[in-house]
mmCIF file of all heavy atoms in Angstrom:
data_model
loop_
_atom_site.group_PDB
_atom_site.id
_atom_site.type_symbol
_atom_site.label_atom_id
_atom_site.label_comp_id
_atom_site.label_asym_id
_atom_site.label_seq_id
_atom_site.Cartn_x
_atom_site.Cartn_y
_atom_site.Cartn_z
ATOM 1 N N VAL E 61 60.167 40.065 -80.980
ATOM 2 C CA VAL E 61 60.505 39.800 -79.584
ATOM 3 C C VAL E 61 61.790 38.979 -79.526
ATOM 4 O O VAL E 61 61.909 37.937 -80.192
ATOM 5 C CB VAL E 61 59.370 39.045 -78.869
ATOM 6 C CG1 VAL E 61 59.713 38.845 -77.393
ATOM 7 C CG2 VAL E 61 58.051 39.800 -79.012
ATOM 8 N N ALA E 62 62.737 39.452 -78.726
ATOM 9 C CA ALA E 62 63.999 38.741 -78.524
ATOM 10 C C ALA E 62 63.988 38.138 -77.129
ATOM 11 O O ALA E 62 64.254 38.828 -76.138
ATOM 12 C CB ALA E 62 65.191 39.685 -78.699
ATOM 13 N N LEU E 63 63.662 36.859 -77.042
ATOM 14 C CA LEU E 63 63.593 36.184 -75.754
ATOM 15 C C LEU E 63 64.962 35.610 -75.383
ATOM 16 O O LEU E 63 65.731 35.234 -76.269
ATOM 17 C CB LEU E 63 62.567 35.057 -75.798
ATOM 18 C CG LEU E 63 61.116 35.490 -76.000
ATOM 19 C CD1 LEU E 63 60.227 34.265 -76.146
ATOM 20 C CD2 LEU E 63 60.643 36.349 -74.844
ATOM 21 N N PRO E 64 65.279 35.533 -74.094
ATOM 22 C CA PRO E 64 66.557 34.923 -73.694
ATOM 23 C C PRO E 64 66.594 33.454 -74.071
ATOM 24 O O PRO E 64 65.563 32.784 -74.124
ATOM 25 C CB PRO E 64 66.578 35.115 -72.164
ATOM 26 C CG PRO E 64 65.145 35.312 -71.779
ATOM 27 C CD PRO E 64 64.498 36.005 -72.941
ATOM 28 N N ALA E 65 67.788 32.947 -74.342
ATOM 29 C CA ALA E 65 67.947 31.549 -74.733
ATOM 30 C C ALA E 65 67.496 30.641 -73.598
ATOM 31 O O ALA E 65 67.764 30.900 -72.422
ATOM 32 C CB ALA E 65 69.394 31.276 -75.099
ATOM 33 N N GLN E 66 66.807 29.559 -73.969
ATOM 34 C CA GLN E 66 66.281 28.624 -72.972
ATOM 35 C C GLN E 66 67.313 27.599 -72.541
ATOM 36 O O GLN E 66 67.111 26.887 -71.578
ATOM 37 C CB GLN E 66 65.048 27.901 -73.550
ATOM 38 C CG GLN E 66 63.873 28.813 -73.804
ATOM 39 C CD GLN E 66 63.325 29.404 -72.526
ATOM 40 O OE1 GLN E 66 63.038 28.700 -71.567
ATOM 41 N NE2 GLN E 66 63.194 30.724 -72.501
ATOM 42 N N GLY E 67 68.410 27.487 -73.303
ATOM 43 C CA GLY E 67 69.406 26.461 -72.980
ATOM 44 C C GLY E 67 68.986 25.116 -73.531
ATOM 45 O O GLY E 67 67.956 24.966 -74.181
ATOM 46 N N ASN E 68 69.786 24.115 -73.258
ATOM 47 C CA ASN E 68 69.521 22.784 -73.796
ATOM 48 C C ASN E 68 68.953 21.821 -72.753
ATOM 49 O O ASN E 68 68.943 20.620 -72.944
ATOM 50 C CB ASN E 68 70.823 22.185 -74.364
ATOM 51 C CG ASN E 68 71.326 22.970 -75.551
ATOM 52 O OD1 ASN E 68 70.536 23.427 -76.370
ATOM 53 N ND2 ASN E 68 72.646 23.123 -75.644
ATOM 54 N N LYS E 69 68.487 22.371 -71.637
ATOM 55 C CA LYS E 69 67.935 21.503 -70.611
ATOM 56 C C LYS E 69 66.656 20.850 -71.123
ATOM 57 O O LYS E 69 65.783 21.497 -71.670
ATOM 58 C CB LYS E 69 67.608 22.306 -69.342
ATOM 59 C CG LYS E 69 68.820 22.704 -68.554
ATOM 60 C CD LYS E 69 68.433 23.127 -67.150
ATOM 61 C CE LYS E 69 67.344 24.159 -67.124
ATOM 62 N NZ LYS E 69 66.946 24.539 -65.770
ATOM 63 N N GLN E 70 66.542 19.555 -70.918
ATOM 64 C CA GLN E 70 65.356 18.846 -71.354
ATOM 65 C C GLN E 70 65.126 17.663 -70.435
ATOM 66 O O GLN E 70 66.036 16.893 -70.142
ATOM 67 C CB GLN E 70 65.503 18.363 -72.795
ATOM 68 C CG GLN E 70 64.227 17.755 -73.350
ATOM 69 C CD GLN E 70 64.356 17.433 -74.824
ATOM 70 O OE1 GLN E 70 65.437 17.559 -75.393
ATOM 71 N NE2 GLN E 70 63.272 17.022 -75.437
ATOM 72 N N ASP E 71 63.885 17.543 -69.994
ATOM 73 C CA ASP E 71 63.528 16.432 -69.119
ATOM 74 C C ASP E 71 63.457 15.164 -69.969
ATOM 75 O O ASP E 71 62.722 15.098 -70.952
ATOM 76 C CB ASP E 71 62.166 16.710 -68.473
ATOM 77 C CG ASP E 71 61.833 15.709 -67.391
ATOM 78 O OD1 ASP E 71 62.446 14.631 -67.377
ATOM 79 O OD2 ASP E 71 60.951 16.021 -66.577
ATOM 80 N N VAL E 72 64.215 14.143 -69.584
ATOM 81 C CA VAL E 72 64.236 12.919 -70.383
ATOM 82 C C VAL E 72 62.860 12.267 -70.408
ATOM 83 O O VAL E 72 62.510 11.556 -71.354
ATOM 84 C CB VAL E 72 65.287 11.918 -69.840
ATOM 85 C CG1 VAL E 72 66.672 12.468 -70.033
ATOM 86 C CG2 VAL E 72 65.017 11.600 -68.370
ATOM 87 N N GLN E 73 62.057 12.521 -69.380
ATOM 88 C CA GLN E 73 60.723 11.933 -69.362
ATOM 89 C C GLN E 73 59.840 12.509 -70.458
ATOM 90 O O GLN E 73 58.897 11.865 -70.910
ATOM 91 C CB GLN E 73 60.055 12.170 -68.002
ATOM 92 C CG GLN E 73 60.671 11.356 -66.887
ATOM 93 C CD GLN E 73 59.880 11.505 -65.613
ATOM 94 O OE1 GLN E 73 59.250 12.537 -65.369
ATOM 95 N NE2 GLN E 73 59.899 10.483 -64.794
ATOM 96 N N ALA E 74 60.132 13.750 -70.902
ATOM 97 C CA ALA E 74 59.311 14.377 -71.927
ATOM 98 C C ALA E 74 59.396 13.636 -73.254
ATOM 99 O O ALA E 74 58.558 13.810 -74.130
ATOM 100 C CB ALA E 74 59.737 15.833 -72.121
ATOM 101 N N GLU E 75 60.425 12.797 -73.409
ATOM 102 C CA GLU E 75 60.562 12.017 -74.630
ATOM 103 C C GLU E 75 59.541 10.887 -74.682
ATOM 104 O O GLU E 75 59.241 10.346 -75.741
ATOM 105 C CB GLU E 75 61.979 11.426 -74.715
ATOM 106 C CG GLU E 75 63.095 12.453 -74.733
ATOM 107 C CD GLU E 75 63.185 13.179 -76.056
ATOM 108 O OE1 GLU E 75 62.605 12.672 -77.033
ATOM 109 O OE2 GLU E 75 63.817 14.237 -76.108
ATOM 110 N N SER E 76 59.008 10.522 -73.543
ATOM 111 C CA SER E 76 58.117 9.370 -73.474
ATOM 112 C C SER E 76 56.675 9.800 -73.657
ATOM 113 O O SER E 76 56.233 10.806 -73.095
ATOM 114 C CB SER E 76 58.282 8.671 -72.119
ATOM 115 O OG SER E 76 57.298 7.679 -71.958
ATOM 116 N N ASP E 77 55.906 9.000 -74.448
ATOM 117 C CA ASP E 77 54.498 9.324 -74.631
ATOM 118 C C ASP E 77 53.626 8.702 -73.559
ATOM 119 O O ASP E 77 52.403 8.719 -73.653
ATOM 120 C CB ASP E 77 54.014 8.881 -76.027
ATOM 121 C CG ASP E 77 54.230 7.388 -76.276
ATOM 122 O OD1 ASP E 77 54.611 6.694 -75.317
ATOM 123 O OD2 ASP E 77 54.012 6.933 -77.418
ATOM 124 N N THR E 78 54.244 8.132 -72.515
ATOM 125 C CA THR E 78 53.478 7.630 -71.381
ATOM 126 C C THR E 78 53.628 8.528 -70.157
ATOM 127 O O THR E 78 53.218 8.165 -69.062
ATOM 128 C CB THR E 78 53.927 6.198 -71.017
ATOM 129 O OG1 THR E 78 55.317 6.210 -70.693
ATOM 130 C CG2 THR E 78 53.675 5.237 -72.174
ATOM 131 N N VAL E 79 54.221 9.704 -70.346
ATOM 132 C CA VAL E 79 54.354 10.697 -69.281
ATOM 133 C C VAL E 79 53.457 11.884 -69.612
ATOM 134 O O VAL E 79 53.458 12.364 -70.746
ATOM 135 C CB VAL E 79 55.816 11.161 -69.122
ATOM 136 C CG1 VAL E 79 55.927 12.259 -68.069
ATOM 137 C CG2 VAL E 79 56.694 9.985 -68.737
ATOM 138 N N LEU E 80 52.666 12.342 -68.638
ATOM 139 C CA LEU E 80 51.735 13.438 -68.886
ATOM 140 C C LEU E 80 52.478 14.764 -68.971
ATOM 141 O O LEU E 80 53.038 15.239 -67.981
ATOM 142 C CB LEU E 80 50.689 13.504 -67.774
ATOM 143 C CG LEU E 80 49.691 14.670 -67.889
ATOM 144 C CD1 LEU E 80 48.904 14.565 -69.195
ATOM 145 C CD2 LEU E 80 48.747 14.706 -66.701
ATOM 146 N N ILE E 81 52.491 15.351 -70.156
ATOM 147 C CA ILE E 81 53.024 16.697 -70.383
ATOM 148 C C ILE E 81 51.871 17.501 -70.987
ATOM 149 O O ILE E 81 51.553 17.349 -72.177
ATOM 150 C CB ILE E 81 54.219 16.698 -71.358
ATOM 151 C CG1 ILE E 81 55.283 15.685 -70.910
ATOM 152 C CG2 ILE E 81 54.815 18.093 -71.477
ATOM 153 C CD1 ILE E 81 55.977 16.041 -69.626
ATOM 154 N N PRO E 82 51.178 18.333 -70.205
ATOM 155 C CA PRO E 82 49.958 18.981 -70.713
ATOM 156 C C PRO E 82 50.178 19.857 -71.927
ATOM 157 O O PRO E 82 49.271 20.045 -72.734
ATOM 158 C CB PRO E 82 49.465 19.806 -69.506
ATOM 159 C CG PRO E 82 50.668 19.967 -68.634
ATOM 160 C CD PRO E 82 51.489 18.731 -68.829
ATOM 161 N N SER E 83 51.390 20.411 -72.081
ATOM 162 C CA SER E 83 51.656 21.303 -73.215
ATOM 163 C C SER E 83 52.318 20.573 -74.381
ATOM 164 O O SER E 83 52.805 21.217 -75.306
ATOM 165 C CB SER E 83 52.544 22.471 -72.766
ATOM 166 O OG SER E 83 53.762 21.991 -72.208
ATOM 167 N N ARG E 84 52.339 19.241 -74.347
ATOM 168 C CA ARG E 84 52.971 18.476 -75.419
ATOM 169 C C ARG E 84 52.328 18.825 -76.767
ATOM 170 O O ARG E 84 51.103 18.838 -76.927
ATOM 171 C CB ARG E 84 52.821 16.988 -75.168
ATOM 172 C CG ARG E 84 53.602 16.103 -76.169
ATOM 173 C CD ARG E 84 53.102 14.659 -76.138
ATOM 174 N NE ARG E 84 53.075 14.106 -74.794
ATOM 175 C CZ ARG E 84 54.118 13.577 -74.183
ATOM 176 N NH1 ARG E 84 55.297 13.559 -74.776
ATOM 177 N NH2 ARG E 84 54.000 13.083 -72.969
ATOM 178 N N GLY E 85 53.158 19.143 -77.750
ATOM 179 C CA GLY E 85 52.646 19.453 -79.084
ATOM 180 C C GLY E 85 52.165 20.876 -79.262
ATOM 181 O O GLY E 85 51.765 21.261 -80.363
ATOM 182 N N GLU E 86 52.189 21.693 -78.212
ATOM 183 C CA GLU E 86 51.731 23.074 -78.291
ATOM 184 C C GLU E 86 52.870 23.995 -78.732
ATOM 185 O O GLU E 86 54.047 23.742 -78.444
ATOM 186 C CB GLU E 86 51.210 23.541 -76.923
ATOM 187 C CG GLU E 86 49.969 22.819 -76.457
ATOM 188 C CD GLU E 86 48.722 23.360 -77.108
ATOM 189 O OE1 GLU E 86 48.161 24.347 -76.629
ATOM 190 O OE2 GLU E 86 48.309 22.772 -78.131
ATOM 191 N N ARG E 87 52.508 25.081 -79.407
ATOM 192 C CA ARG E 87 53.508 26.073 -79.790
ATOM 193 C C ARG E 87 53.889 26.939 -78.589
ATOM 194 O O ARG E 87 53.086 27.190 -77.701
ATOM 195 C CB ARG E 87 52.965 26.969 -80.908
ATOM 196 C CG ARG E 87 52.686 26.255 -82.221
ATOM 197 C CD ARG E 87 52.136 27.222 -83.241
ATOM 198 N NE ARG E 87 53.103 28.275 -83.565
ATOM 199 C CZ ARG E 87 52.804 29.372 -84.230
ATOM 200 N NH1 ARG E 87 51.567 29.604 -84.618
ATOM 201 N NH2 ARG E 87 53.741 30.267 -84.502
ATOM 202 N N GLY E 88 55.134 27.424 -78.589
ATOM 203 C CA GLY E 88 55.572 28.359 -77.567
ATOM 204 C C GLY E 88 55.952 27.689 -76.255
ATOM 205 O O GLY E 88 56.232 26.494 -76.187
ATOM 206 N N GLN E 89 55.931 28.508 -75.195
ATOM 207 C CA GLN E 89 56.360 28.063 -73.875
ATOM 208 C C GLN E 89 55.171 27.994 -72.925
ATOM 209 O O GLN E 89 54.252 28.812 -73.003
ATOM 210 C CB GLN E 89 57.388 29.033 -73.285
ATOM 211 C CG GLN E 89 58.579 29.327 -74.173
ATOM 212 C CD GLN E 89 59.427 30.451 -73.614
ATOM 213 O OE1 GLN E 89 59.303 30.828 -72.445
ATOM 214 N NE2 GLN E 89 60.291 31.015 -74.444
ATOM 215 N N CYS E 90 55.204 27.025 -72.021
ATOM 216 C CA CYS E 90 54.199 26.955 -70.961
ATOM 217 C C CYS E 90 54.664 27.861 -69.815
ATOM 218 O O CYS E 90 55.667 27.574 -69.163
ATOM 219 C CB CYS E 90 54.023 25.517 -70.488
ATOM 220 S SG CYS E 90 52.795 25.330 -69.181
ATOM 221 N N VAL E 91 53.965 28.980 -69.616
ATOM 222 C CA VAL E 91 54.395 29.958 -68.613
ATOM 223 C C VAL E 91 53.644 29.809 -67.300
ATOM 224 O O VAL E 91 53.992 30.447 -66.301
ATOM 225 C CB VAL E 91 54.221 31.398 -69.152
ATOM 226 C CG1 VAL E 91 55.160 31.642 -70.323
ATOM 227 C CG2 VAL E 91 52.778 31.677 -69.549
#
Side-chain angles (χ1 to χ4, degrees):
V61 183
L63 295 175
Q66 294 295 309
N68 295 322
K69 286 196 308 178
Q70 187 173 6
D71 189 341
V72 293
Q73 289 187 331
E75 300 287 343
S76 172
D77 57 8
T78 59
V79 176
L80 177 61
I81 308 293
S83 57
R84 187 197 308 277
E86 294 280 275
R87 295 179 63 193
Q89 307 171 15
C90 180
V91 294

